[in-house]
Amino acid sequence: MANKKTCSWTDFLGEFGSALDRWEERIETFKKSKESDGRPPPLIYRPAWDASPDPRHLCIGVGDWSRYPWKAPQEGQKVGILLNNKGAPSPGSARYASICDMVTDLDFAAWPVWSRATADLGTPSELLGRFTLVVEDVSPDSCLGLILFFARSCGVPRDELPAPWIDYARRWEEGDVKTTGAPFESWGALHSALAHSFAPPTDEGSSVPSGGIQDREADLCLTRAWLSCLRFDAAALASSALPNCMSAMDLIVEDQLARGFLNYEQQNYLSSLGEATCLQLLVPMEGIGHRQLMVDTMLLEEEIPDGTKKVFARNDREHTWLHDGFALMALNRPHEIYQGSGNDIVVSADTTFKIELSDLWRALEAREDALWAGERPCDKPRRDMVRGYPQGKRPDGSNAPNQPWFLFPDLSLVAAPKHIFEPSDGASGVLGSRLDWPEVREILWQTYQPMRFLEFDDLNAPEPLSPVRLEVCRPQLFGKEGHSRRRALYRLAWRQTVVCSQAARLSPTAKRCYAALAARGGDFQGGSRPIALVELPQPASFDFLSFEGGFAVVHRNGTVLVDDWRTSKLPDQELCREFELCTRRLAAIAALEVSIGKLIEEQTREMTESVHQLDHLAILDVLTRFKIEIASELTATALQTNDPEVIEFRAVIERRWGMAERLQEAYRNIDRVEGSIRAYSELYTNRRVNQLTVYGFPLVLATGLLALLLPAPDEEHSSYLAEVHWIFERFHWHSFFYFCLFTVVGILLLRYWPRRSAARARWPFVKKLREWLNRSRH
């Protein structure tokens, strides 16, 4: 830098703003040009690019230092610029935490090479006009690192560079989003929100770039994002504001856009809480020993990409159980633009908690090796995986994978492998990971699930056994096979000693683990099967009861009773007795429901075949017997304790199993059937009475008239034959005809007169007559 004149920091920022205006003109010119013109783009997005930059490239966050000729470039050799702190040469064994730290280090080994590469470039406009930026992202560290590199290249003294901003970029890059200010006052949060406002649309039906990370439209989206973020950062640096206390710059369009989009991303975060899986996990802490810290964890598939979800999650004290933010986050970004970038699956820890993720990294790598089955490419291993595979080697000395799971040097971040590029086609490749999001979630859960340190005495075991883990405990089944599902009762006792005291905390996730065991019910096949993440019931599906000597978790499939080491003893005998009585009562209700269902089915079939087959009295007798039997069983299974805790336990089981509702519904069904049978019986009787009235009344009346037509026999014809002969001689046959006619007419009148009367009431003449009568009354 000695051959260049000195430039002040303030003058440089003024020149840099003008340079951005000319870079925008270059962007617009490239945008209007055709791809076949061969015009170099101002920026390309290559998150997995690991080659050495050529003289036209300025790489930011990408590139391989092992292939970069920074030690002894050949005479007259022109090289590009490699701004990548990962794997960068540094004094001793130190590493650069950020690009800003690297470019502001006066002793950085590559500066002599870069000085020769930019010897003829003395202004920001010339630098931006010469190089094509090859970028990994639009992070605050990348943008500020580029500005600082240009400043040093233009002769700005090291002591004039903004130290608070450099320190801020380091902390932000290390994952610290708490000491970097509240979201709406944080430069990093505002910068990230502004960058993501230029993300390509991903909604269904919109035009997502078809070429993935190599698409021209995707490059232009990132180019516009870089331009806007560089303008925002330059204005913030010129305002003399502190990066963790940013006030609104009302005259800057980029500031207004950043704050508006930050509001939008805050709303997205609050909406995503309902879709996220929130857990409490036990994660190892840094340092010597086996300290485990329980932290709130969020697992989320990010449907709407944004840059500040981590900021809001880390500072969320309202929606976390420990009220200290989500210290551990696992994000999946399934959109095409992220695939193979290393950012598609990211697990990150809050660095202020001092927890490390090396166990997770080892589990992911072991599973990855198993899936590749010896075919994982390892001919060009990455050498910047300092903590994962030092110098690109496995512990046995063999080559590490070309694209392993990335483990951040401070062990606070694990990211998915990038694309694996084939030698025949350096611009395309296959995904570096064969793990999908559900598998990563499950590996994370099994690695840090909070019950892994607890051991129990299984009180249901046939003989005393050594302490076992939760999933190995055996259930005691109650109820008969047939009408209802058998319920499981687990009886456990904590061991007096626990390796990790944090494991004994009854967090919401621990309660869900006990509920998952109860939800298995009588399914004890493969009893040692670990509790999977997908098995965890939602909190609304079970009840947790705390007793003086332990606790209980009640699920619809079963119950877990746990006796801890507190002084008071859990009344497990009474609890077991009440549990058994509840299962008997539930079985009786289920049997009653089945019996009522069969009765209704049988009677419906008989009524369909023939009404005369119904035995009304027999059905009513059966229903009465049902009532007596269920009343007897309810009496036998009534509450048999005066202990308030046991009474509450019994009430919770009955409510969770819906026993009162099912019993009431069974009684209602009995009443419905009984009412229907009685109503049908009355209808059947009324039909018979109606038949007697219609046919019997005219016949009886006509018979009385017929008696008047028959003369009484005298004493001379007292014998039976003489009486019959006398009647036939004196019988009026024409009168008999009138008798039959009168009977038929009477029957017809009784059958059809009510119907005709109703019809006549609708005749116009009758209506007018009624209206006239009503008017005459008034």
Side-chain angles (χ1 to χ4, degrees):
M1 296 293 133
N3 60 333
K4 294 187 178 181
K5 65 178 181 179
T6 303
C7 175
S8 70
W9 173 247
T10 304
D11 293 341
F12 165 77
L13 290 178
E15 293 181 7
F16 186 72
S18 301
L20 291 178
D21 293 336
R22 284 188 283 276
W23 197 50
E24 183 179 13
E25 295 175 1
R26 178 186 174 188
I27 294 171
E28 292 300 322
T29 302
F30 176 78
K31 181 180 179 181
K32 296 176 182 178
S33 67
K34 295 182 179 179
E35 194 170 357
S36 58
D37 292 348
R39 188 186 304 270
L43 181 146
I44 55 177
Y45 175 53
R46 298 293 184 271
W49 198 76
D50 59 354
S52 176
D54 63 28
R56 300 169 300 172
H57 290 165
L58 194 161
C59 298
I60 308 174
V62 295
D64 188 357
W65 277 100
S66 64
R67 306 174 188 178
Y68 187 68
W70 62 274
K71 290 184 178 179
Q74 299 178 3
E75 184 67 26
Q77 179 183 5
K78 292 186 177 181
V79 297
I81 308 299
L82 183 56
L83 303 184
N84 186 6
N85 61 301
K86 296 185 285 290
S90 58
S93 59
R95 66 175 182 84
Y96 293 111
S98 67
I99 296 176
C100 294
D101 284 337
M102 184 186 73
V103 300
T104 56
D105 183 9
L106 295 175
D107 298 326
F108 184 56
W111 266 119
V113 178
W114 293 349
S115 298
R116 288 190 292 271
T118 61
D120 58 336
L121 307 174
T123 64
S125 297
E126 293 174 348
L127 289 165
L128 280 173
R130 164 75 67 83
F131 294 107
T132 292
L133 305 184
V134 183
V135 303
E136 179 187 29
D137 52 27
V138 202
S139 68
D141 179 52
S142 296
C143 292
L144 182 60
L146 178 67
I147 295 175
L148 296 176
F149 171 75
F150 282 177
R152 288 206 60 189
S153 299
C154 294
V156 177
R158 171 66 179 82
D159 56 359
E160 288 192 27
L161 299 179
W165 291 76
I166 298 172
D167 176 67
Y168 183 102
R170 180 191 313 113
R171 285 182 285 131
W172 184 273
E173 195 68 12
E174 290 177 344
D176 181 4
V177 293
K178 284 188 173 180
T179 65
T180 50
F184 286 90
E185 297 179 356
S186 166
W187 163 63
L190 292 167
H191 175 106
S192 300
L194 178 61
H196 276 76
S197 68
F198 292 90
T202 56
D203 295 335
E204 186 176 354
S206 61
S207 58
V208 180
S210 59
I213 63 173
Q214 301 169 15
D215 193 274
R216 178 185 174 96
E217 291 299 322
D219 290 345
L220 286 173
C221 284
L222 266 294
T223 304
R224 289 191 290 269
W226 266 83
L227 175 63
S228 184
C229 288
L230 288 174
R231 279 179 170 162
F232 174 76
D233 296 344
L237 289 167
S239 67
S240 300
L242 293 176
N244 61 348
C245 190
M246 291 280 294
S247 58
M249 298 179 290
D250 297 330
L251 300 180
I252 305 299
V253 175
E254 286 77 14
D255 181 73
Q256 298 173 3
L257 180 60
R259 294 182 184 277
F261 209 77
L262 190 58
N263 270 310
Y264 166 76
E265 294 194 347
Q266 183 184 35
Q267 295 178 15
N268 285 345
Y269 166 72
L270 295 175
S271 299
S272 67
L273 286 174
E275 304 171 0
T277 301
C278 298
L279 304 167
Q280 291 77 44
L281 301 180
L282 275 177
V283 186
M285 299 186 69
E286 298 177 2
I288 302 175
H290 299 282
R291 300 180 184 89
Q292 305 284 330
L293 182 65
M294 182 169 290
V295 295
D296 282 294
T297 305
M298 172 188 285
L299 312 180
L300 178 64
E301 186 166 356
E302 194 175 52
E303 296 293 341
I304 304 176
D306 60 48
T308 58
K309 187 176 273 87
K310 181 173 69 173
V311 179
F312 290 111
R314 295 278 194 258
N315 293 280
D316 190 348
R317 299 179 181 274
E318 179 182 356
H319 303 99
T320 50
W321 182 64
L322 295 168
H323 304 293
D324 204 9
F326 289 101
L328 187 62
M329 290 183 63
L331 292 180
N332 174 43
R333 301 180 177 97
H335 309 296
E336 183 180 7
I337 193 172
Y338 287 107
Q339 290 182 4
S341 67
N343 293 322
D344 42 356
I345 298 180
V346 177
V347 183
S348 61
D350 189 342
T351 55
T352 61
F353 283 81
K354 302 303 178 183
I355 55 179
E356 53 98 355
L357 306 177
S358 58
D359 290 343
L360 173 64
W361 179 83
R362 283 190 288 269
L364 290 170
E365 276 294 294
R367 180 58 180 161
E368 201 75 69
D369 288 338
L371 291 176
W372 283 89
E375 299 179 356
R376 198 174 185 187
C378 57
D379 56 321
K380 299 177 181 179
R382 291 182 62 176
R383 300 184 182 276
D384 55 356
M385 308 292 291
V386 180
R387 298 298 295 269
Y389 295 120
Q391 301 302 317
K393 297 293 184 179
R394 294 180 182 268
D396 60 0
S398 60
N399 277 358
N402 290 356
Q403 290 295 341
W405 281 81
F406 177 75
L407 179 62
F408 203 68
D410 66 357
L411 309 180
S412 66
L413 184 142
V414 175
K418 297 183 179 181
H419 270 94
I420 298 175
F421 295 110
E422 302 294 338
S424 60
D425 187 2
S428 64
V430 298
L431 293 178
S433 175
R434 292 186 176 179
L435 285 170
D436 57 13
W437 173 238
E439 289 180 286
V440 174
R441 282 166 41 103
E442 185 61 28
I443 292 174
L444 174 65
W445 162 251
Q446 295 299 340
T447 303
Y448 298 132
Q449 64 100 347
M451 307 297 291
R452 65 186 188 277
F453 294 106
L454 289 182
E455 292 182 335
F456 301 88
D457 290 326
D458 187 359
L459 303 182
N460 286 335
E463 56 185 22
L465 300 175
S466 59
V468 295
R469 293 184 59 174
L470 180 66
E471 61 268 17
V472 184
C473 297
R474 298 172 177 270
Q476 182 180 358
L477 301 180
F478 291 88
K480 298 179 180 179
E481 295 285 353
H483 296 321
S484 63
R485 179 186 302 173
R486 303 181 72 184
R487 261 55 179 188
L489 178 64
Y490 294 85
R491 298 170 57 236
L492 317 176
W494 266 351
R495 276 284 170 165
Q496 294 291 331
T497 57
V498 177
V499 176
C500 173
S501 60
Q502 288 280 345
R505 299 186 68 178
L506 284 172
S507 65
T509 300
K511 296 176 183 178
R512 293 175 67 183
C513 289
Y514 291 112
L517 183 67
R520 289 183 173 181
D523 181 19
F524 190 66
Q525 50 187 359
S528 60
R529 184 180 78 241
I531 295 175
L533 180 61
V534 295
E535 287 187 84
L536 297 183
Q538 293 301 318
S541 65
F542 64 89
D543 294 281
F544 179 85
L545 294 173
S546 180
F547 302 132
E548 192 174 352
F551 58 87
V553 177
V554 180
H555 189 271
R556 65 177 179 272
N557 293 343
T559 297
V560 176
L561 298 177
V562 181
D563 189 350
D564 57 22
W565 54 71
R566 285 180 284 186
T567 305
S568 301
K569 181 172 174 54
L570 185 73
D572 58 337
Q573 297 299 326
E574 294 185 46
L575 294 172
C576 291
R577 183 176 66 247
E578 294 301 327
F579 183 88
E580 182 180 5
L581 293 176
C582 286
T583 57
R584 284 179 51 190
R585 175 171 289 197
L586 186 64
I589 295 173
L592 177 63
E593 292 172 341
V594 172
S595 300
I596 295 174
K598 289 182 178 179
L599 178 63
I600 294 175
E601 182 180 354
E602 293 174 359
Q603 301 310 318
T604 302
R605 184 176 61 254
E606 292 180 1
M607 290 177 63
T608 303
E609 295 174 354
S610 175
V611 178
H612 300 289
Q613 294 184 12
L614 285 178
D615 190 347
H616 306 151
L617 296 178
I619 297 174
L620 294 176
D621 289 342
V622 171
L623 294 176
T624 303
R625 178 169 54 82
F626 284 168
K627 291 182 179 180
I628 295 174
E629 290 177 353
I630 191 63
S632 176
E633 189 64 23
L634 292 177
T635 302
T637 58
L639 187 67
Q640 299 183 7
T641 182
N642 294 323
D643 190 333
E645 291 183 340
V646 181
I647 293 174
E648 183 183 4
F649 173 74
R650 170 69 179 258
V652 168
I653 289 182
E654 292 185 352
R655 185 183 70 252
R656 176 59 60 183
W657 293 356
M659 295 171 61
E661 292 77 7
R662 293 180 62 178
L663 183 60
Q664 291 176 4
E665 184 63 23
Y667 275 126
R668 283 194 291 267
N669 287 335
I670 291 177
D671 293 338
R672 292 190 190 104
V673 174
E674 187 175 8
S676 300
I677 294 298
R678 292 185 184 278
Y680 197 86
S681 177
E682 293 176 0
L683 181 62
Y684 185 82
T685 303
N686 292 338
R687 188 182 296 117
R688 293 295 177 263
V689 172
N690 185 55
Q691 291 175 353
L692 291 175
T693 302
V694 170
Y695 297 103
F697 179 73
L699 185 61
V700 172
L701 183 60
T703 302
L705 296 176
L706 181 62
L708 301 176
L709 302 177
L710 295 176
D714 51 17
E715 296 180 358
E716 297 179 1
H717 305 85
S718 57
S719 65
Y720 177 76
L721 293 176
E723 182 178 346
V724 172
H725 178 72
W726 184 83
I727 289 176
F728 272 91
E729 286 183 350
R730 293 177 171 270
F731 189 76
H732 302 285
W733 291 102
H734 61 281
S735 299
F736 179 73
F737 170 76
Y738 289 118
F739 159 75
C740 294
L741 180 62
F742 178 80
T743 303
V744 172
V745 170
I747 293 173
L748 293 176
L749 286 175
L750 289 176
R751 281 180 63 89
Y752 298 107
W753 180 262
R755 303 180 190 176
R756 300 290 294 177
S757 298
R760 283 196 304 272
R762 295 191 294 269
W763 290 352
F765 171 75
V766 175
K767 289 183 178 180
K768 292 181 179 180
L769 179 60
R770 288 181 174 176
E771 291 176 0
W772 180 81
L773 290 174
N774 290 334
R775 286 196 300 270
S776 62
R777 290 175 183 173
H778 296 291

